[in-house]
């Protein structure tokens, strides 16, 4: 069986790695081609080009890289057509993924699967209808998403999120992490300004100012900044003048499994986290780390987003738990004083988010079959005329 799989950012690489591991368990002879990061490469994928080239967020931010991305779309679609796989699986990054699928569908009958349903319940509901023209089957992370996809004419299975099947850091892991980075028993606040260069450049200065205000009342607190491998240098440069003697957790010299274990230990060791909006809220919830979510965009993208978004929250923990337990400082509210106030509030009542985090993990499949294996089984069960 041949599978072509495409991911465009670290969260997609994580999903892809778990899915590929599941496919290998069910079909030991499966062969992979495509685009992915270190976790997918650990599952025997030789990426066509570095996945980091696709990690662009925001309508305006894409423009300077438009022609390069367009070439990569054409290159990727042609590679799919040349390999003629049993299935093309695209993972999130819809601006890239769905354009690849469109080109592939225009010239073949290759089956297409998209992993991560578009958030049509939040904005641009018409995307599902457009997506149905090029996608046969959707793998949904959230339990309420399948009806939206099915109404548009696509097959859809809720498969849960791989975060629920990952280990929880032990006390020994936490202590080893503290010792490795010279943190002693100091309180720790995590700073997670994103995994893309544009996010880090935009959010890191605001995060630094917010932490300066927050730490005025907590001078013994240390700041820890986990960074994805390709962003270590940029993050290190940004945090040089931050308070709290920042420690950048740099995974680039570690095997992917050790890097993930170190990241989980950092999350579990923290008393509190300040994070960009995204999948990271689920990773923090899995380690029971209370958080504040802060995010802003390019001014023009912000203006467009305000007109299109239909929800009052952007945090997955809030959405899945159907609460608003995690405080947010988004767009115009992404200001240092507001973020510092939110951090202080959470630090005062660190257990207030615990119930919402537990509900989120349970609803995403904690205690059941590993989501990566569920996703793999869903792909195989709906694949006609499968050839192992």
């Amino acid at each position: 069986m041949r599978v072509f799989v495409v991911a465009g950012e670290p969260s997609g690489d994580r999903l892809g790695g778990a899915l590929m591991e599941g496919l290998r368990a069910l079909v030991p002879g499966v062969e992979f081609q495509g685009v992915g990061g270190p976790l997918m490469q650990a599952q025997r994928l030789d990426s066509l080009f570095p996945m980091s080239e696709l990690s662009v967020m925001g309508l305006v931010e894409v423009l300077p890289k438009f022609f390069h991305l367009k070439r990569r779309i054409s290159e990727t679609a042609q590679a799919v057509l040349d390999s003629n796989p049993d299935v093309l699986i695209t993972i999130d990054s819809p601006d890239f993924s769905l354009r690849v699928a469109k080109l592939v569908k225009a010239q073949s009958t290759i089956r297409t699967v998209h992993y991560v349903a578009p958030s049509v319940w939040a904005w641009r509901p018409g995307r599902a209808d457009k997506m149905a023209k090029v996608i046969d089957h959707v793998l949904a992370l959230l339990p309420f998403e399948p009806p939206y996809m099915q109404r548009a004419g696509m097959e859809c299975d809720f498969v849960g999120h791989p975060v629920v099947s990952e280990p929880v850091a032990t006390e020994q892991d936490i202590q080893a992490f503290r010792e490795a980075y010279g943190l002693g028993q100091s309180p720790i606040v995590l700073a997670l300004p994103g995994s893309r260069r544009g996010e880090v450049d935009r959010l890191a200065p605001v995060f630094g100012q917010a932490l300066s205000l927050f730490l005025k009342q907590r001078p013994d607190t240390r700041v820890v900044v986990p960074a994805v491998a390709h962003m270590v240098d940029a993050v290190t440069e940004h945090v040089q003048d931050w308070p709290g003697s920042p420690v950048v957790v740099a995974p680039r010299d570690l095997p992917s499994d050790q890097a993930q274990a170190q990241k989980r230990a950092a999350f579990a060791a923290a008393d509190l986290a300040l994070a960009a909006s995204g999948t990271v809220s689920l990773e923090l919830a899995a380690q029971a780390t209370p958080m504040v979510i802060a995010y802003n965009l390019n001014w023009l993208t912000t203006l467009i987003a305000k007109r299109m978004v239909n929800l009052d929250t952007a945090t997955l923990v809030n959405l899945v738990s159907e609460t608003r337990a995690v405080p947010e400082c988004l767009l115009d509210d992404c200001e240092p004083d507001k973020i510092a106030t939110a951090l202080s509030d959470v630090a005062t009542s660190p257990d207030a988010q615990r119930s919402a985090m537990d509900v989120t993990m349970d609803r995403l499949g904690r205690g059941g079959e590993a989501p990566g294996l569920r996703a793999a089984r869903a792909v195989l069960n709906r694949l006609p005329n499968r050839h192992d």
Side-chain angles (χ1 to χ4, degrees):
M1 178 181 176
R2 296 192 310 279
V3 176
F4 201 104
V5 58
V6 177
E9 54 189 320
S11 60
D13 180 50
R14 190 175 188 197
L15 293 169
L19 168 63
M20 293 166 68
E21 183 177 13
L23 285 169
R24 287 178 56 199
L26 297 173
V27 186
V30 64
E31 298 176 3
F32 297 112
Q33 290 180 269
V35 180
L39 298 178
M40 292 168 64
Q41 291 170 31
Q43 297 298 323
R44 303 175 190 171
L45 175 73
D46 184 12
S47 187
L48 285 176
F49 50 82
M51 185 190 72
S52 58
E53 292 185 19
L54 307 182
S55 296
V56 183
M57 179 71 174
L59 302 175
V60 175
E61 290 81 353
V62 169
L63 293 178
K65 297 187 176 182
F66 174 77
F67 291 107
H68 178 71
L69 290 172
K70 190 174 181 180
R71 285 193 297 272
R72 287 305 197 193
I73 289 168
S74 297
E75 177 185 345
T76 304
Q78 189 59 53
V80 177
L81 293 168
D82 291 344
S83 65
N84 191 30
D86 294 281
V87 60
L88 164 64
I89 303 175
T90 54
I91 305 173
D92 210 1
S93 302
D95 290 332
F96 185 88
S97 295
L98 299 185
R99 284 175 170 82
V100 171
K102 181 178 180 179
L103 291 176
V104 170
K105 277 296 189 184
Q107 302 179 62
S108 75
T109 59
I110 294 171
R111 182 168 175 81
T112 53
V113 176
H114 190 66
Y115 197 172
V116 183
S119 50
V120 296
W121 33 267
W123 70 306
R124 291 172 56 195
R127 284 178 296 163
D129 294 328
K130 292 180 181 179
M131 183 172 161
K133 296 176 182 178
V134 299
I135 296 296
D136 300 306
H137 180 200
V138 179
L139 304 174
L141 300 183
L142 308 178
F144 54 79
E145 292 178 319
Y148 293 95
M149 303 297 103
Q150 292 161 352
R151 280 199 292 270
M154 293 172 283
E155 299 169 344
C156 186
D157 293 298
F158 165 62
V159 297
H161 196 290
V163 71
V164 302
S165 62
E166 293 183 354
V168 174
T170 65
E171 287 298 325
Q172 291 83 357
D173 296 332
I174 293 170
Q175 191 57 37
F177 172 79
R178 283 181 170 275
E179 291 175 0
Y181 286 94
L183 295 166
Q185 296 306 309
S186 298
I188 294 173
V189 58
L190 289 184
L192 297 145
S195 59
R196 308 173 184 92
R197 182 61 190 247
E199 287 178 328
V200 172
D201 288 346
R202 193 168 55 249
L203 294 176
V206 180
F207 279 25
Q209 294 172 48
L211 289 169
S212 292
L213 295 173
F214 174 68
L215 294 185
K216 283 183 178 180
Q217 305 302 320
R218 298 168 177 81
D220 59 335
T221 299
R222 298 292 304 277
V223 176
V224 172
V225 192
V228 295
H230 68 278
M231 289 305 303
V232 170
D233 291 340
V235 168
T236 301
E237 181 180 347
H238 274 293
V239 306
Q240 288 180 8
D241 298 326
W242 282 16
S245 303
V247 170
V248 177
V249 179
R252 59 186 172 192
D253 296 326
L254 295 175
S256 59
D257 57 339
Q258 293 181 28
Q260 287 299 309
Q262 186 181 70
K263 182 179 179 181
R264 289 192 295 268
F267 281 27
D271 299 277
L272 174 63
L274 169 59
S277 177
T279 307
V280 69
S281 71
L282 299 181
E283 299 177 77
L284 291 166
Q287 303 298 328
T289 307
M291 69 194 87
V292 171
I293 300 298
Y295 204 78
N296 63 18
L297 295 162
N298 174 283
W299 71 269
L300 182 54
T301 307
T302 296
L303 184 64
I304 295 169
K306 285 181 179 180
R307 294 175 176 271
M308 300 176 73
V309 176
N310 302 320
L311 287 176
D312 65 342
T313 181
T315 300
L316 289 172
V317 172
N318 288 343
L319 287 166
V320 177
S321 67
E322 298 178 277
T323 71
R324 298 298 181 263
V326 176
E328 298 171 312
C329 297
L330 307 177
L331 303 180
D332 292 342
D333 289 329
C334 187
E335 298 180 352
D337 57 337
K338 294 181 179 180
I339 295 170
T341 297
L343 288 169
S344 295
D345 291 343
V346 174
T348 301
S349 302
D351 293 330
Q353 298 176 24
R354 182 62 60 89
S355 176
M357 291 191 288
D358 283 341
V359 168
T360 297
M361 293 298 102
D362 290 342
R363 289 183 176 176
L364 291 183
R366 181 168 61 183
E369 186 176 56
L373 186 59
R374 288 177 63 179
R377 201 182 305 282
V379 170
L380 296 175
N381 286 346
R382 294 187 183 270
L383 191 63
N385 304 318
R386 189 180 106 209
H387 301 290
D388 293 351

